[in-house]
Amino acid sequence: MKDGIYIGVEAHGHLWNGTTPRVSALEFSFPIQSLPELSLVDKVNRMQVRPVWRITISDLESEQKYFLHAGWPVFVNALDPLRDTLILSLERSSEYDAKHLDLLREIVEALFPLRCFLEFEHHSWKHAANVLRGAKSLVVQHDAPELPGIIKDISVPGKHALLRLLGRNKRTWFEHNPSERFAYQYSQTELSSIAKRIYALREESDSVTIIVATPPPQSAMEAANSFASV
């Protein structure tokens, strides 16, 4: 793929067994109450990859206190604004609220110039679309099953784009276990279609990062490597 496009996978399951996948981006996910150790951040910053740090939030109302914890600025200050990307990911248990949206925007503004994306699961966040577009917020895009009642992508053209491939497994989509929910093997036809979407995003943005988040890790790596030929 052309310059400005970075293909990656989830890091867990690779680094922990001592292997480093040959990709241009790696995603690390942690809950907001348990941020990554600085030793890991330092290790990743020495690698030849673009790190994506995905911080998951189950309930913003009860967990917003962690943004005021001393560990939050320590973690953020360890990141490199020129390389690292941060995702604030609200899980489907966290629903839209205007106050929560304002809080998220304040956090994003305080993180500048770090690239900070917002990711939403609950369909209620579609009500925030106009505000996010007006603020030119960076919002994670997805490839996911076509199902009623789940959020559709909030398209906000910006300087950077991020697309997470979650598979298209309708049967297991509402499972709680990620290894069941996102298990999927993309076909070459599907990857070719996604590649067209990636190129379209690249036309609108300076950079596009793609994370294949489908377990098992081998399946994700096969999909990531397949993009080299499409």
Side-chain angles (χ1 to χ4, degrees):
M1 288 193 148
K2 64 182 180 180
D3 291 343
I5 298 178
Y6 304 90
I7 310 292
V9 295
E10 294 178 303
H12 301 302
H14 291 288
L15 287 188
W16 302 161
N17 61 19
T19 63
T20 302
R22 294 183 178 180
V23 290
S24 54
L26 280 176
E27 180 185 273
F28 302 82
S29 293
F30 293 87
I32 182 62
Q33 66 270 28
S34 182
L35 295 172
E37 297 288 338
L38 294 187
S39 58
L40 174 60
V41 177
D42 182 62
K43 178 180 179 180
V44 173
N45 281 339
R46 294 197 301 268
M47 298 169 59
Q48 299 300 311
V49 295
R50 292 173 69 93
V52 177
W53 303 94
R54 182 169 172 266
I55 304 303
T56 57
I57 303 165
S58 295
D59 182 80
L60 189 57
E61 183 173 357
S62 62
E63 294 179 347
Q64 62 178 298
K65 60 186 177 184
Y66 292 106
F67 291 107
L68 302 176
H69 190 275
W72 173 251
V74 172
F75 164 63
V76 169
N77 290 336
L79 305 183
D80 182 349
L82 298 179
R83 294 177 66 245
D84 295 53
T85 295
L86 180 66
I87 300 175
L88 299 181
S89 179
L90 274 68
E91 297 179 339
R92 55 186 171 183
S93 53
S94 190
E95 299 183 21
Y96 167 75
D97 180 280
K99 292 182 179 179
H100 291 163
L101 176 59
D102 288 341
L103 173 62
L104 287 174
R105 291 177 60 195
E106 289 176 8
I107 294 171
V108 171
E109 290 175 4
L111 291 169
F112 183 83
L114 182 67
R115 281 189 296 271
C116 184
F117 283 80
L118 299 175
E119 181 178 41
F120 308 106
E121 284 196 36
H122 196 275
H123 62 84
S124 61
W125 284 94
K126 65 183 180 182
H127 299 299
N130 290 336
V131 175
L132 293 169
R133 291 192 186 101
K136 296 183 179 179
S137 303
L138 298 178
V139 181
V140 175
Q141 307 295 295
H142 300 98
D143 183 81
E146 287 290 336
L147 288 169
I150 66 173
I151 190 168
K152 307 303 179 185
D153 279 338
I154 300 172
S155 180
V156 184
K159 191 171 184 179
H160 304 283
L162 197 154
L163 173 65
R164 300 184 74 239
L165 308 188
L166 306 179
R168 301 178 180 181
N169 198 334
K170 294 182 179 182
R171 183 179 59 84
T172 61
W173 183 253
F174 295 103
E175 295 290 338
H176 289 286
N177 188 337
S179 64
E180 296 181 34
R181 183 183 184 193
F182 302 120
Y184 193 76
Q185 179 75 55
Y186 280 100
S187 69
Q188 196 62 35
T189 299
E190 290 171 330
L191 293 174
S192 296
S193 176
I194 293 169
K196 294 178 181 178
R197 180 181 180 185
I198 293 170
Y199 284 127
L201 287 172
R202 181 62 180 87
E203 290 298 318
E204 300 174 345
S205 309
D206 291 349
S207 72
V208 181
T209 301
I210 301 92
I211 299 296
V212 186
T214 51
Q218 181 181 356
S219 172
M221 278 301 303
E222 289 176 0
N225 290 332
S226 293
F227 280 116
S229 61
V230 297

